[in-house]
């Protein structure tokens, strides 16, 4: 099993740990400290050694931060984690609050006047630090970068840094050589007036150098830094223990290799006259400080690899199509198996384990093995499904009961692609209210699936389309409609998204999720998710300009038992029939078992049949 169901984070020791932290802060001469869920790379995917927020608070979500003051401690999370945060932290020692309603600069402006607030400059981006400094200047608290992270001094059994082995990602799957990508990076730097660029995002480093790693759970990232030159060889800062002879030879032909502890000196080594590109949204504040110490000029520009990485080439697109068909066949086997289990006989963990087993078996028979799941499966029954980022564990594990909804959000890592799919299914007979909400969510997913949009459209422009049916019913959901997806990389990849904050223009070759939802706390949750590919602009008969569209990559039945046909218009019913016809046509040949094929035929039959 790639997934563990043990809950490692706990708030049982939070009171003692907060006491120790406050003592360390007093020793450092500061009143408060900010504890983000971040590592030096500012990524969503962090190793155990960087899980400081979970260690301190017991909160295990993938986003959030805590503020520890002399007489209070507060954990801030967004809408995905509101319920989870309340359940996981100790309310006797820590409050919870909304990071959306009360952003960190606003909160500190209201409570920290006259205080000195410490922060670890390796764990905050340049943009975050700039916003905090502005708030400090305006409201009278002092912001101080600390020479070391105080939590590291009190975390006695802190895990060691990871040393996952690095492998070369073949050009036959990457679609382009690393040398060609490095040439493109040089052109981008020169166009931006830079002499160098610092890459801090391991996804970008993996993409540029055509390598993959094993340093964080479920995502093939090699934790490392890189300095690229507009003219000259790059330097890759990576633990040599991660490189065997063949990979070391491959990388040595592309770049100078250095240990991570040489990174600080290299940043200080930039001199006056050099212009170094740094992404303010990704690079740690400490990186900017070190570059400026040497006298070089920091040029705040986006990571030069982010957009090229997001625009999948033809080989990456072909690989992802193949990965999704393989994954779809596994999903059919799972959904058929699930349909045969009487209500009250299996648990969330049983379901998650069975799906992973089907993925492994299906991939092995296809000759492209399952390398990992792409994230811990969200397997939520009944009220657990109302937690958008629920992670089942042995304590929370719940039986799938009759009359309930079961939400399974999962994905896989294959060498040719990364998948992410959500299906919500009925366990037994489900009431009309759940079916109505399911249908409203489906209408939103169909709206995104079928939209055509002009060149220059941003994700934020499309996001309302997924919500209109819910809005008309007085409902909404507190997460984005879609995130970017990597190609055998991170299941959450920027900069593209379909969300209220999705300011990046959508371009051909980008892969995103399409996953509207609805959640009634304490009762049920619904989400339907397919992955979609932005297609090149094409003419529309009678139109004035070419339009982008979306190609659906995910193929698996949508539970028609939950659909109220009378709430769908003719166009939406036709879309669902056509989608199911394509699901049946593509997946049936991949199913060796006749019973699976028969179930698929019934699950995808057109309306009225």
């Amino acid at each position: 099993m790639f997934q563990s169901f043990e809950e490692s984070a706990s708030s049982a020791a939070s009171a003692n740990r907060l006491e120790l932290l406050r003592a360390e802060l007093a020793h450092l001469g500061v009143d408060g400290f900010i504890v983000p869920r971040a590592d030096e790379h500012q990524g969503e995917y962090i190793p155990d050694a960087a899980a400081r927020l979970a260690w301190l608070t017991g909160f295990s979500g993938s986003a959030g931060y805590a503020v520890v003051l002399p007489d209070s401690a507060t954990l801030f999370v967004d809408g995905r984690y509101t319920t989870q945060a309340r359940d996981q932290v100790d309310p006797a020692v820590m409050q919870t609050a909304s990071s959306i309603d009360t952003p960190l600069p606003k909160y500190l402006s209201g409570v920290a006047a006259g205080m000195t607030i410490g922060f670890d400059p390796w764990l905050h981006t340049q943009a975050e630090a700039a916003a905090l400094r502005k708030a400090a200047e305006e409201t009278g608290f002092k912001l101080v970068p600390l020479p070391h992270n105080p939590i590291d001094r009190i975390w006695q059994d802190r895990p060691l840094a990871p040393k996952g082995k690095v492998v070369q990602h073949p050009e036959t799957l990457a679609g382009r050589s690393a040398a060609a990508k490095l040439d493109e990076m040089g052109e981008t730097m020169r166009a931006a007036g830079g002499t160098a660029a610092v890459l801090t995002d391991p996804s970008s480093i993996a993409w540029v150098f055509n390598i993959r790693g094993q340093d964080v759970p479920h995502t093939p990232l090699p934790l490392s830094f890189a300095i690229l030159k507009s003219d000259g060889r790059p330097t890759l800062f990576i633990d040599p223990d991660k490189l065997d002879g063949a990979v070391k030879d491959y990388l040595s032909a592309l770049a100078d290799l250095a240990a991570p502890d040489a990174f600080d000196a290299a940043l200080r080594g930039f001199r006056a006259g050099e212009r170094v590109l740094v992404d303010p949204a990704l690079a740690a504040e400490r990186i900017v400080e070190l570059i400026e110490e040497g006298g070089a000029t920091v040029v705040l520009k986006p990571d030069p690899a982010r957009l090229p990485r997001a625009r999948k080439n033809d080989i990456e697109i072909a690989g992802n199509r193949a990965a999704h068909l393989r994954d779809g066949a596994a999903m059919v086997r799972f959904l058929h198996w699930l349909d045969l289990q009487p209500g009250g006989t299996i648990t969330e963990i049983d379901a998650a384990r069975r799906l992973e087993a089907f993925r492994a078996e299906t991939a092995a028979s296809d000759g492209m093995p399952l390398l990992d799941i792409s994230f811990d499966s969200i397997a939520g029954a009944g009220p657990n499904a109302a937690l958008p980022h629920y992670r089942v564990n042995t304590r929370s594990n719940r039986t799938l009961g009759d009359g309930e909804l079961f939400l399974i959000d999962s994905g896989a890592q294959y060498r040719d692609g990364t998948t992410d799919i959500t299906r919500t299914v009925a366990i037994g007979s489900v009431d009309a209210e759940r079916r109505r909400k399911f249908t409203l969510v489906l209408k939103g997913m169909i709206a995104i699936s079928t939209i055509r949009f002009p060149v220059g459209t941003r994700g934020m422009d499309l996001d309302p389309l997924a919500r209109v049916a819910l809005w008309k019913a007085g409902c909404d959901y507190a997460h984005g409609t879609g995130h970017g997806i990597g190609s055998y990389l991170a299941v959450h990849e920027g900069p593209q998204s379909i969300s209220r904050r999705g300011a990046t223009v959508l371009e051909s070759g980008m892969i995103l999720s399409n996953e509207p939802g609805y959640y009634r706390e304490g009762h049920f949750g619904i989400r339907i998710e397919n992955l979609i590919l932005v297609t090149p602009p094409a003419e529309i008969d009678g139109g004035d300009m070419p339009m982008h569209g979306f190609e659906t990559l995910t193929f698996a039945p949508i539970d028609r038992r939950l659909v109220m046909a009378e709430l769908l218009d003719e166009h939406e019913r036709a879309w669902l029939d056509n989608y199911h016809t394509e699901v049946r046509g593509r997946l049936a040949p991949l199913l060796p078992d006749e019973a699976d094929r028969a179930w698929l035929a019934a699950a995808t039959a057109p309306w009225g049949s």
Side-chain angles (χ1 to χ4, degrees), residues 105-166:
K106 178 180 177 181
Y107 173 75
L108 290 175
S109 295
V111 302
M115 292 186 185
T116 300
I117 305 298
F119 75 104
D120 183 339
W122 277 110
L123 303 185
H124 294 264
T125 66
Q126 185 278 335
E128 290 169 348
L132 290 172
R133 282 194 298 270
K134 183 174 185 292
E137 292 168 0
E138 292 176 349
T139 59
F141 66 89
K142 186 177 181 182
L143 188 69
V144 179
L146 299 182
H148 64 263
N149 193 302
I151 289 179
D152 297 350
R153 295 291 178 93
I154 62 175
W155 189 354
Q156 296 299 318
D157 56 349
R158 184 184 174 202
L160 297 174
K163 292 180 178 288
K165 292 298 182 182
V166 172

Side-chain angles (χ1 to χ4, degrees), residues 238-295:
I238 190 166
D239 189 330
D241 290 344
K242 299 178 183 180
L243 309 177
D244 65 18
V247 171
K248 185 175 182 180
D249 291 344
Y250 163 73
L251 288 172
S252 295
L254 295 167
D256 295 329
L257 302 181
D261 58 13
F263 186 50
D264 285 22
L267 294 172
R268 286 193 184 96
F270 286 114
R271 293 292 178 252
E274 294 188 89
R275 294 171 55 81
V276 185
L277 306 186
V278 173
D279 190 326
L282 295 175
E285 167 71 1
R286 182 59 177 154
I287 288 173
V288 173
E289 293 173 356
L290 289 168
I291 293 170
E292 291 179 340
E293 282 181 19

Side-chain angles (χ1 to χ4, degrees), residues 314-531:
D314 289 344
I315 289 177
E316 289 175 315
I317 291 170
N320 274 279
R321 287 176 177 142
H324 281 84
L325 291 180
R326 185 183 313 120
D327 211 57
M331 281 296 299
V332 168
R333 296 178 65 193
F334 168 74
L335 292 170
H336 178 204
W337 170 84
L338 184 63
D339 222 21
L340 296 175
Q341 312 308 309
T345 62
I346 65 169
T347 68
E348 297 164 337
I349 290 178
D350 294 332
R353 284 178 169 152
R354 200 71 190 94
L355 177 52
E356 185 175 319
F358 279 128
R359 280 196 165 107
E361 294 168 10
T362 305
S365 65
D366 191 48
M368 185 67 76
L370 176 69
L371 299 178
D372 203 335
I373 55 177
S374 55
F375 56 97
D376 284 332
S377 296
I378 300 169
N384 286 346
L387 306 174
H389 276 217
Y390 170 68
R391 179 187 176 276
V392 59
N393 57 67
T394 53
R395 180 180 60 83
S396 69
N397 190 28
R398 194 174 185 280
T399 299
L400 280 60
D402 268 323
E404 292 185 337
L405 297 179
F406 175 60
L407 185 156
I408 179 76
D409 184 349
S410 65
Q413 293 283 11
Y414 308 104
R415 203 169 296 282
D416 56 352
T418 299
T419 69
D420 182 3
I421 175 175
T422 308
R423 289 296 182 264
T424 303
V425 299
I427 306 299
S429 178
V430 175
D431 66 26
E433 179 60 16
R434 285 164 172 77
R435 294 177 60 230
R436 178 171 177 267
K437 292 299 194 300
F438 182 93
T439 308
L440 297 179
V441 172
L442 177 61
K443 288 170 73 72
M445 199 200 77
I446 293 173
I448 296 295
S449 301
T450 57
I451 191 64
R452 301 296 298 274
F453 54 95
V455 173
T457 298
R458 305 160 300 174
M460 64 173 60
D461 301 323
L462 301 184
D463 183 72
L465 301 177
R467 303 176 189 268
V468 168
L470 286 164
W471 285 350
K472 287 180 178 179
C475 305
D476 201 1
Y477 50 95
H479 58 74
T481 299
H483 54 81
I485 307 281
S487 185
Y488 184 42
L489 272 174
V491 74
H492 293 158
E493 177 183 86
Q496 74 275 25
S497 73
I498 302 174
S499 68
R500 290 181 171 100
R501 294 182 291 178
T504 296
V505 170
L506 302 181
E507 299 184 48
S508 303
M510 289 181 171
I511 297 176
L512 302 105
S513 65
N514 173 13
E515 51 178 314
Y518 173 78
Y519 311 92
R520 179 171 291 175
E521 184 177 342
H523 294 276
F524 63 91
I526 297 162
R527 189 162 62 252
I528 313 170
E529 176 187 21
N530 284 345
L531 298 194

Side-chain angles (χ1 to χ4, degrees), residues 179-309:
K181 293 176 181 179
L182 286 166
D183 286 344
E184 180 183 359
M185 296 300 97
E187 293 173 5
T188 302
M189 284 182 271
R190 289 188 290 272
T195 56
V198 179
L199 295 189
T200 63
D201 183 349
S203 287
S204 289
I205 293 168
W207 179 83
V208 167
F209 289 97
N210 282 347
I211 55 175
R212 299 295 187 266
Q214 304 173 48
D215 284 337
V216 297
H218 311 318
T219 307
L221 297 182
L223 296 183
S224 51
F225 294 100
I227 293 176
L228 309 184
K229 301 290 183 66
S230 58
D231 294 293
R233 279 171 66 82
T235 303
L236 178 61
F237 299 86
I238 190 166
D239 189 330
D241 290 344
K242 299 178 183 180
L243 309 177
D244 65 18
V247 171
K248 185 175 182 180
D249 291 344
Y250 163 73
L251 288 172
S252 295
L254 295 167
D256 295 329
L257 302 181
D261 58 13
F263 186 50
D264 285 22
L267 294 172
R268 286 193 184 96
F270 286 114
R271 293 292 178 252
E274 294 188 89
R275 294 171 55 81
V276 185
L277 306 186
V278 173
D279 190 326
L282 295 175
E285 167 71 1
R286 182 59 177 154
I287 288 173
V288 173
E289 293 173 356
L290 289 168
I291 293 170
E292 291 179 340
E293 282 181 19
T297 299
V298 171
V299 181
L300 299 177
K301 291 285 186 179
D303 175 337
R306 280 194 111 197
L307 272 176
R309 186 180 82 226

